[in-house]
Amino acid sequence: MKKQLLLFFLLTIFTSIVLITACKKCDSSDPNSDCYEATDTITPNNTLVVNWDSLDYAPTPYELVFPTIFENIKDDYYIPPDNPLTEQGIQLGRMLFYDPILSKDSTIACGSCHAIENAFTDDVALSEGVDGAIGRRNSMPLFNLGWQPSFFWDGSVNSLEEQALKPVPNEVEMHQPWEGAVAKLMNHYDYRVKFYEAFGDTLISKELVTKAIAQFERTLISGNSKFDLAVTPGTGVDLSPQEELGYNLFNDLAGGDCLHCHIDPGLLFTDNKFHNTGLDATSTFEEFADWGLGEVTGIPQDNGRFRTPSLRNIGVTAPYMHDGRFNTLKEVLDFYADEIQPSPNLDLIMVSDFNSTGNLLEEEEKEAIIAFLHTLTDTTFLNNPAYKNPFE
């Protein structure tokens, strides 16, 4: 009997040790743990002590400098009154943009899918998030964002602050609850200090995170390409005969006819509107594989319509279209020349081209348009040290 009691006692102790060990391995309060349970209340690490009295909240206002080409539209560049640009906010936003701390496993940052050498997009059709998950749309480039009225291919958000909220909890992108991301930042001394210096708040929130990122993104202005210099008096820069031919064909209604969607008085090379340009053949509105704008508005006629991307820096942002289906500019021009597909809401701009079997450009004309498009590459923008990864 004594042996049985002793055996029972030892078994009980062993079981308790196993349970305690298991609990230690899976701490639900640890944002990096697989069993982390997000809550609305964020409690910083009690061992993290910040001497707030030693810090000054005196953010330095930052004034954007616009390229000459945008002189007539610089006053239209939108900066929300509740998130003015400051040197501290921009610096913090740049750090957060490149820091993988916002992702579930600390491997993916905003800069992972928005690389400076690609005008802040990447070079794959569909980007890869944490755990190898693949997104469903091509990563859009980031520049001249203060002139955009909405964001994403489908225009589903109307501000950069709102846009920056989406990737962190998205299951195929960073896949981390905002509560977990904020908890990690709250337990990071440098970030606690920098958030205070930028916003005067001792507590970090997802709203402050996205405000900082949005400030950095609003500084990404591109308008110093060869084309910009060529149309600016006194620079001594001229387009080559082939580039000039391409520019004329770009604007020719009987030639490339690109100006309808990609030209405007401000030379942003986008109309910031949504079009169905005949990428996919459908007989009904519901047949589109991706409904695009229709997912946002709920209007069937909007299915298959996507934002017009800017053609600035187009030479470094391949692959093209919302799903990255075209690898080269030549493929894009070949498609619009004679491969436009019929659908019930095919844009009126494209209908005449479809009925006349495309714009039928000669090969040398396509080469000229491509040569012109490459003059929109802004190497100053692509190599701006103020935009690069601060951790490298």
Side-chain angles (χ1 to χ4, degrees):
M1 183 65 179
K2 291 182 178 180
K3 290 184 178 180
Q4 291 176 333
L5 288 174
L6 179 59
L7 180 61
F8 176 76
F9 179 71
L10 292 174
L11 182 60
T12 301
I13 293 176
F14 176 76
T15 302
S16 299
I17 292 173
V18 170
L19 289 174
I20 291 172
T21 303
C23 290
K24 287 183 177 179
K25 288 182 178 179
C26 192
D27 183 359
S28 62
S29 66
D30 180 4
N32 293 308
S33 172
D34 290 336
C35 62
Y36 171 72
E37 295 178 2
T39 64
D40 292 331
T41 303
I42 300 303
T43 304
N45 188 330
N46 291 329
T47 63
L48 182 61
V49 177
V50 180
N51 183 6
W52 302 111
D53 293 335
S54 67
L55 302 176
D56 291 325
Y57 172 59
T60 306
Y62 181 89
E63 185 175 353
L64 287 172
V65 177
F66 292 90
T68 304
I69 197 72
F70 296 139
E71 183 64 29
N72 293 333
I73 62 170
K74 66 179 183 180
D75 291 339
D76 298 326
Y77 200 81
Y78 182 69
I79 299 173
D82 65 345
N83 193 23
L85 300 184
T86 67
E87 292 184 4
Q88 291 80 359
I90 292 167
Q91 179 191 44
L92 173 60
R94 180 183 172 194
M95 291 175 63
L96 292 166
F97 185 89
Y98 284 104
D99 196 337
I101 194 173
L102 295 179
S103 65
K104 171 187 173 183
D105 57 2
S106 296
T107 61
I108 299 292
C110 302
S112 300
C113 300
H114 298 281
I116 185 171
E117 62 268 23
N118 301 114
F120 290 98
T121 180
D122 53 19
D123 58 1
V124 295
L126 305 174
S127 301
E128 182 177 325
V130 299
D131 302 323
I134 302 298
R136 69 188 184 108
R137 290 177 183 158
N138 184 250
S139 175
M140 297 197 81
L142 303 176
F143 52 81
N144 300 341
L145 301 172
W147 286 298
Q148 279 190 214
S150 61
F151 301 89
F152 294 123
W153 282 102
D154 57 11
S156 55
V157 300
N158 297 317
S159 74
L160 278 174
E161 288 78 5
E162 187 181 2
Q163 183 276 329
L165 281 172
K166 303 296 183 179
V168 173
N170 190 303
E171 292 184 357
V172 298
E173 294 187 53
M174 296 184 179
H175 198 190
Q176 175 166 232
W178 265 112
E179 294 83 2
V182 169
K184 287 197 285 186
L185 292 171
M186 285 287 286
N187 289 325
H188 194 294
Y189 182 86
D190 287 344
Y191 275 124
R192 295 289 297 279
V193 171
K194 289 185 180 299
F195 269 96
Y196 180 80
E197 291 174 339
F199 298 107
D201 203 322
T202 60
L203 296 178
I204 299 172
S205 67
K206 63 182 180 182
E207 288 78 15
L208 293 182
V209 173
T210 57
K211 277 189 172 184
I213 293 175
Q215 283 194 42
F216 170 65
E217 291 179 333
R218 287 193 175 96
T219 69
L220 305 178
I221 297 177
S222 178
N224 195 40
S225 65
K226 180 180 181 179
F227 169 80
D228 297 316
L229 297 175
V231 298
T232 301
T235 64
V237 177
D238 296 306
L239 298 181
S240 71
Q242 184 189 40
E243 292 164 349
E244 188 167 355
L245 171 62
Y247 179 56
N248 292 332
L249 288 167
F250 180 93
N251 293 291
D252 188 351
L253 297 180
D257 191 17
C258 311
L259 79 164
H260 277 110
C261 299
H262 292 288
I263 201 68
D264 63 282
L267 292 178
L268 296 173
F269 287 92
T270 173
D271 61 3
N272 278 320
K273 296 179 180 179
F274 299 84
H275 301 278
N276 168 13
T277 57
L279 292 174
D280 301 302
T282 68
S283 58
T284 68
F285 295 122
E286 287 72 24
E287 289 181 28
F288 289 100
D290 187 334
W291 285 8
L293 180 63
E295 288 186 8
V296 179
T297 65
I299 301 173
Q301 288 84 351
D302 285 337
N303 289 353
R305 289 178 176 167
F306 296 92
R307 167 180 298 286
T308 303
S310 172
L311 295 184
R312 287 187 170 275
N313 298 301
I314 195 70
V316 298
T317 61
Y320 306 107
M321 304 300 173
H322 68 278
D323 53 6
R325 66 178 64 189
F326 298 131
N327 292 314
T328 66
L329 290 171
K330 177 64 162 53
E331 289 180 17
V332 175
L333 291 182
D334 286 344
F335 169 80
Y336 285 126
D338 56 14
E339 298 173 19
I340 297 172
Q341 302 299 305
S343 55
N345 63 344
L346 181 65
D347 202 288
L348 293 177
I349 297 170
M350 314 302 298
V351 170
S352 59
D353 284 340
F354 174 74
N355 291 336
S356 64
T357 320
N359 49 30
L360 299 179
L361 292 168
E362 300 292 338
E363 290 303 308
E364 58 268 25
E365 291 177 320
K366 293 178 185 177
E367 292 174 3
I369 292 176
I370 291 172
F372 159 67
L373 291 176
H374 279 289
T375 70
L376 299 178
T377 299
D378 182 352
T379 56
T380 303
F381 173 75
L382 301 178
N383 293 283
N384 191 329
Y387 300 155
K388 293 184 177 181
N389 190 338
F391 301 112
E392 294 180 348

